[in-house]
Amino acid sequence: FIRIPTTGHFEVAKIAAVSTGAFRYRVRDNRNGRMLTNDWIHVNAATGAGPLPLILPEPIVWQPNSQLQFDFVDLSAAPNTIYLTLAGRMIYVG
C-alpha cells in the first residue's frame, strides 16, 4: 500500500522497479475501489529500471489521503524481492 499524504495531491510521472525476478502487478485506488490498470501488467511492459524509469505518456494525479494498493504475482519460481518507485511531485493546495 502507498498512502498519499493529506497535505496535497501527488502527480506521478515515472515508474521504476528493481527485483530479483520477473513479476506482474496491478494497481487499485482503495478510496473508490477503482482499478487503475486494466489487467495484470508484466514488469517489463510497464516499468523501467532505476536510471531509466518508464515515463508515463500522461502524468497521473492522486487526491490527498488516497491509498493505492499494489498487488504482485511472482513469476520467477524463486524468492523474489521487489522495489517499486513512483517518481513525481506533490502539489500543495492552500
Side-chain angles (χ1 to χ4, degrees):
F1 293 95
I2 295 176
R3 180 173 298 281
I4 308 304
T6 59
T7 55
H9 301 276
F10 183 51
E11 181 183 65
V12 176
K14 302 175 186 178
I15 301 176
V18 176
S19 65
T20 55
F23 65 92
R24 294 183 302 178
Y25 71 97
R26 65 183 180 182
V27 184
R28 175 191 325 265
D29 183 346
N30 279 347
R31 176 177 234 168
N32 54 22
R34 183 177 60 145
M35 294 300 296
L36 299 174
T37 55
N38 292 336
D39 202 356
W40 292 95
I41 301 171
H42 193 277
V43 62
N44 293 339
T47 63
L52 294 171
L54 172 78
I55 299 173
L56 298 173
E58 200 170 306
I60 302 169
V61 178
W62 281 303
Q63 295 178 352
N65 205 32
S66 295
Q67 184 176 8
L68 307 176
Q69 177 179 330
F70 287 79
D71 299 316
F72 298 95
V73 173
D74 178 26
L75 302 175
S76 68
N80 195 354
T81 303
I82 299 169
Y83 296 97
L84 187 71
T85 302
L86 304 177
R89 64 182 178 151
M90 287 296 297
I91 302 171
Y92 297 101
V93 183

